Amino acid sequence: MVIKLVKEIDRVDILVKTTLGMEDIAASRIEELIKSAEVISKPYGFMGLVIVKVHNDKWKIAEKIRNEVLEADRVIVIEKCVEAELNKIAEVAAETAVNKINSNDTFAIRTVRRGKHNFTSID
């Protein structure tokens, strides 16, 4: 069963981005594929998103979703979750980046603003 409404999301392991309107189909396919997963379609009403909570190897499960769920446009493994507070986001991003990005590497950050916050996407 696809959960359509949740009051609080305490943990997110995998974020699946879909074409708008395909969230429920993608969620159903993920539930069929990963029986033990908790799947949330359109969390907080955000269209184009499906959240997946798993109890085992999230990297392996994300790869399985990428390969077998055609409605999944993008599958992102979540490494850290933090409150939507600019200083906390920056702190956790910096801590995570230490092990992922070398000093000579370049990278980009792309944002999609969802919900209301006291900061802008540019911030």
Side-chain angles (χ1 to χ4, degrees):
M1 176 177 163
V2 177
I3 300 170
K4 302 223 183 222
L5 177 66
V6 340
K7 295 187 187 248
E8 184 178 337
I9 298 173
D10 59 349
R11 189 184 92 245
V12 177
D13 294 313
I14 301 168
L15 178 66
V16 179
K17 295 178 73 179
T18 70
T19 302
L20 296 180
M22 299 300 286
E23 306 88 350
D24 290 340
I25 295 168
S28 292
R29 299 254 303 116
I30 293 166
E31 284 182 325
E32 290 172 6
L33 196 60
I34 320 296
K35 301 284 189 215
S36 62
E38 181 182 345
V39 183
I40 302 167
S41 176
K42 298 176 272 196
Y44 298 108
F46 293 137
M47 303 290 287
L49 298 179
V50 176
I51 287 176
V52 182
K53 297 179 186 183
V54 295
H55 301 288
N56 38 6
D57 188 0
K58 61 185 174 182
W59 293 95
K60 187 175 181 179
I61 291 171
E63 190 62 30
K64 190 171 190 172
I65 293 170
R66 265 187 211 101
N67 292 334
E68 298 187 36
V69 178
L70 299 176
E71 298 80 10
D73 294 336
R74 203 152 173 229
V75 180
I76 303 164
V77 174
I78 304 300
E79 292 193 32
K80 303 280 183 175
C81 288
V82 66
E83 296 171 32
E85 208 174 288
L86 198 53
N87 289 337
K88 288 183 181 182
I89 294 169
E91 181 181 328
V92 171
E95 289 170 5
T96 305
V98 168
N99 299 321
K100 304 287 181 188
I101 302 172
N102 294 320
S103 60
N104 294 331
D105 290 343
T106 60
F107 64 94
I109 298 173
R110 293 175 185 85
T111 62
V112 174
R113 186 181 171 119
R114 297 179 192 266
K116 294 183 180 183
H117 308 286
N118 62 354
F119 54 88
T120 68
S121 298
I122 294 171
D123 293 337

